[in-house]
Structure formats: structure tokens, C-alpha cells
Amino acid sequence: MRFTEVVMSCWLITLFGVVLLLAGSIVLIWNEGRTIRILLSLDEALNDAITVSAESPYEKQFEGRLIHLNGALSTGEPLTEPDYNIQVQAVKLKRRVQMYQWVEESVENRFGESVATVETADRSYFYTREWRDELVDSRGFYLRSEYHNPTAFPIESTVHLSEHVHVGHYELGEVAKERFKTFQEVTSDTRPEDPSVRLHAGLYYHCNDIWNPEIGDVRIQFAYAGLEGSYVTVVGKLLNGKIVPYESTHSRKVLLLEPGEHNLSEIFRFEHHQQRLATWGIRFIGWVLLFFSAICCTTIMQHLVREHRFLRIFFPDANFSLSTNIMTSLSVALVIVSVAWIVHRPWLGGGLLFAAVSPFLYCARSIMGGYQRMD
């Protein structure tokens, strides 16, 4: 069979494989470029950073410098929700609102099954009531007249942010305050003054009966992040008395914030660890795309290997089994990664490139050795 005939017989799946190849390559190239810029920026920041004492008064000589400090949080005025008698000294106070709503689900009809409230020719629909954070639009329901949700939340979810947050004598900028994302539930036994609001298990219910809520009833949960007095470690640029992100020469912003007291090298080591996890996660996604690309292009590759003796030296498994596709996709991924790193870290890039070609060199060596023994 000619190559053109093979292509015509599987052009659609091959085209999809080429799209996956391009997508996987783009993901890996973008990820490695991002990682290199981040690592270079972190190295630059580590070299430029100086450690200051949070308890020492603000000094002009540190203005514009990248500083590292640790100390206890001070938030000034408390964050409040007066309607619920909530008051907390923290960087953030989050109000999470849920509304009791109708939720529609559907399943395809199968012979002998009947699991829904209403059935059509090809689908069955059933309706349940649930607490939801987002508005469920009932206008798209199959039975719109019988199952109707409110069109808006009577109370909106929100996050209150403390206006002034200090670590010692140094104030955190807006970006630094946004880094507090680990929330703890507010627990209070103080009931709100409004008798229509009921408190149960830390939740504030706007309903007549918490055990039998009606559609449109809401419940509210409060949580805080960055409790006053807790210790944090910050690395950022001091600008006009506030700690803001540091812009590196590699066009990346660096601002580190971790709970607890850490020295300069420790907090950068934590950041390297987080970036490493993110990098390997994206690398895995890129490799998966390349792997499925190899599967889609199996027919084309089988034909090329069978028709060209030179390719058979590197691909002894002409049927392209699962192991061959895994090896091929891994090698392509390693080649892409090595090209990105070879300029910045030649030894690492060269090692990755050798690892990429080593399976094919091993196959070629085995086959050539077999030819020599036969001669």
C-alpha cells in the first residue's frame, strides 16, 4: 500500500494526532519558558534581598530594596458583620452565601429503567433541592413552570479586606494581603439581633425552619484568613513604606509570603518547591497530549517503519505497541524540554537530550549487533 493511500485511509485520526502533537509541544515550550523565567527571577531576588527586623523603625535606606522580614500580623481596625454580631481581627473576612434551589438533572432513557419525575422520548428529568453557592437558572429547565428559582441572591457573597495590615513597622500592599487564602471558619455563640435569623452549627439561616427549608431560603457562613498575632515571613519590595511585588529583569514579579518564621533561604526553598510541583504537573499534561498523539499517528508510523529499513533500526517493534508509544512520546517531550534548558543550564539540557535519544540508540545497537553476529 502506498503512503498516500495509507494517509487517505486514516487522515482524520492522523490530523487529530498532529493537532495533539502541536498542542503538547506548545504546552511544554510555554511551561519550560515560564519555569526558566521564574527560576532566574527567584535567583535574582535571592541575591538582591536583604533581611531587616520587623521591630526596627522604618528606615529610608531600605526604600526601593527587596527586603525579607518576619513577624506578627497587626490589622488595626477589626473586620465586622454587624447584622450577625461578627467581629474578627484578621486580614480577610469572607461571607459565603448559599441559597436553597431547585436543581435539574437528566439521564438518557434506557430500556426497563424509570428513575425520573418526568420522561420524554429520549431523556428523563428529575429535580432535587440543594444548597448552592451559585444561582441555578431555572429558565432552562424542562419543567419551567413547576420548578422555579429566584433570579438573584438576596444577600451576596463577599470578602472584606483589612485596610491596613502591618508586619512590625512595615505595611503590606494589596497584592501581599491577597496572598492570605487559607480560611478558618468563624465560630461564635452570639446570636444575631434579628429574630428571623437562626444560628446552627456555625451557619446563619434566613428561613422559618432550618430542618425544612424552602426554595429561596439562604444560609451564611463566615471565615477569616490572616489572624492578627500570627507570624508570617514576607519577601517583597519596599515602596513608599509598603511591601509590594519585586519586578525582576526577566519580567516576572516576585512576592513571597509564608506562615511562620523562616530565614531567607528557607522561604525561597519553599517557593522553588511549589514551582517544581506546578512545573511537573504541566509537564505531565504535555506528555499526555504527546502520548495520545503517538497513538493517533500509529498507522502512519507503522507504514513508515515497514517501508524504510533505516527507521526499523530505531523502531524494532514495527507494530507500535503501548510501550513503544510511551517511549516515543517521552523522548519527544524530553527533546522539547532539553532544547529549552540547554542554553541556561547546558549540563541539564544535554543530559535530558541524551536521555531522549538513549532508547533509540539502544535499539539501534542491539539490531546492528545482531546483524554483525549473522555475518
Side-chain angles (χ1 to χ4, degrees):
M1 184 180 293
R2 295 180 179 180
F3 180 73
T4 54
E5 295 175 347
V6 174
V7 172
M8 292 301 297
S9 65
C10 60
W11 69 271
L12 184 59
I13 190 67
T14 302
L15 178 61
F16 185 61
V18 172
V19 172
L20 290 178
L21 174 63
L22 292 175
S25 301
I26 291 172
V27 168
L28 289 174
I29 292 171
W30 169 82
N31 182 51
E32 299 309 316
R34 179 194 68 91
T35 301
I36 290 171
R37 288 192 298 273
I38 289 175
L39 293 182
L40 292 176
S41 298
L42 289 176
D43 291 342
E44 177 186 326
L46 180 59
N47 292 329
D48 291 346
I50 58 174
T51 300
V52 301
S53 173
E55 302 305 321
S56 62
Y58 167 73
E59 298 183 20
K60 282 287 187 179
Q61 61 177 332
F62 298 138
E63 186 69 23
R65 296 291 304 274
L66 181 66
I67 64 171
H68 156 259
L69 73 156
N70 50 56
L73 288 171
S74 174
T75 58
E77 293 293 326
L79 299 174
T80 63
E81 281 278 358
D83 293 338
Y84 305 93
N85 288 327
I86 297 294
Q87 180 174 297
V88 61
Q89 296 276 170
V91 178
K92 288 182 177 180
L93 175 62
K94 179 170 67 174
R95 181 177 68 200
R96 179 189 179 190
V97 182
Q98 293 181 314
M99 186 164 63
Y100 205 55
Q101 303 176 75
W102 286 111
V103 178
E104 179 187 74
E105 296 185 31
S106 64
V107 294
E108 293 186 7
N109 284 336
R110 296 180 181 178
F111 180 75
E113 292 186 356
S114 179
V115 296
T117 302
V118 59
E119 296 186 4
T120 63
D122 56 350
R123 301 194 70 82
S124 297
Y125 298 86
F126 59 97
Y127 298 83
T128 58
R129 293 179 291 182
E130 300 178 8
W131 292 102
R132 288 294 183 96
D133 294 87
E134 302 293 336
L135 188 67
V136 178
D137 190 358
S138 59
R139 292 176 297 179
F141 286 177
Y142 183 75
L143 296 178
R144 292 182 293 273
S145 58
E146 297 182 33
Y147 302 97
H148 175 71
N149 288 328
T151 57
F153 272 69
I155 305 172
E156 295 294 332
S157 297
T158 187
V159 177
H160 301 289
L161 190 64
S162 183
E163 185 176 358
H164 299 289
V165 179
H166 290 82
V167 178
H169 292 280
Y170 297 87
E171 185 175 357
L172 300 184
E174 295 299 317
V175 176
K177 290 188 289 186
E178 290 294 342
R179 293 293 178 89
F180 291 89
K181 297 181 179 179
T182 302
F183 286 89
Q184 299 290 330
E185 182 181 346
V186 175
T187 56
S188 174
D189 295 329
T190 305
R191 297 185 176 276
E193 297 179 0
D194 188 349
S196 66
V197 180
R198 290 165 170 77
L199 174 62
H200 177 71
L203 296 172
Y204 296 82
Y205 290 83
H206 287 255
C207 61
N208 294 322
D209 186 352
I210 63 175
W211 308 112
N212 297 289
E214 300 177 356
I215 297 300
D217 289 346
V218 299
R219 66 182 186 183
I220 303 173
Q221 183 184 54
F222 296 98
Y224 64 87
L227 186 65
E228 182 175 67
S230 57
Y231 273 73
V232 296
T233 300
V234 188
V235 175
K237 181 180 179 181
L238 187 62
L239 185 65
N240 298 324
K242 292 185 178 182
I243 299 176
V244 300
Y246 167 82
E247 181 102 23
S248 73
T249 57
H250 304 281
S251 301
R252 301 293 299 190
K253 293 183 178 180
V254 178
L255 191 146
L256 311 182
L257 191 148
E258 291 288 340
E261 296 185 71
H262 308 287
N263 60 38
L264 188 59
S265 59
E266 284 178 342
I267 191 169
F268 273 91
R269 186 165 63 250
F270 290 154
E271 184 65 19
H272 276 284
H273 177 69
Q274 294 297 324
Q275 294 298 332
R276 196 177 301 117
L277 292 178
T279 297
W280 278 103
I282 299 175
R283 282 173 180 167
F284 178 75
I285 294 174
W287 170 75
V288 168
L289 293 173
L290 295 180
F291 171 68
F292 283 106
S293 171
I295 292 177
C296 293
C297 297
T298 295
T299 303
I300 297 295
M301 293 302 297
Q302 285 176 342
H303 177 81
L304 292 175
V305 169
R306 289 168 181 167
E307 293 296 321
H308 297 84
R309 182 177 179 182
F310 177 75
L311 292 178
R312 286 201 299 273
I313 296 176
F314 301 99
F315 294 92
D317 182 11
N319 292 322
F320 275 77
S321 61
L322 179 63
S323 60
T324 302
N325 285 326
I326 292 176
M327 180 189 70
T328 303
S329 57
L330 278 175
S331 295
V332 173
L334 286 174
V335 168
I336 296 173
V337 173
S338 67
V339 170
W341 282 97
I342 203 163
V343 174
H344 301 281
R345 295 185 181 177
W347 286 105
L348 176 60
L352 292 173
L353 187 60
F354 177 77
V357 301
S358 59
F360 303 100
L361 295 178
Y362 177 79
C363 293
R365 177 178 175 273
S366 301
I367 293 178
M368 296 304 296
Y371 287 157
Q372 291 177 358
R373 288 192 296 270
M374 291 175 61
D375 293 341

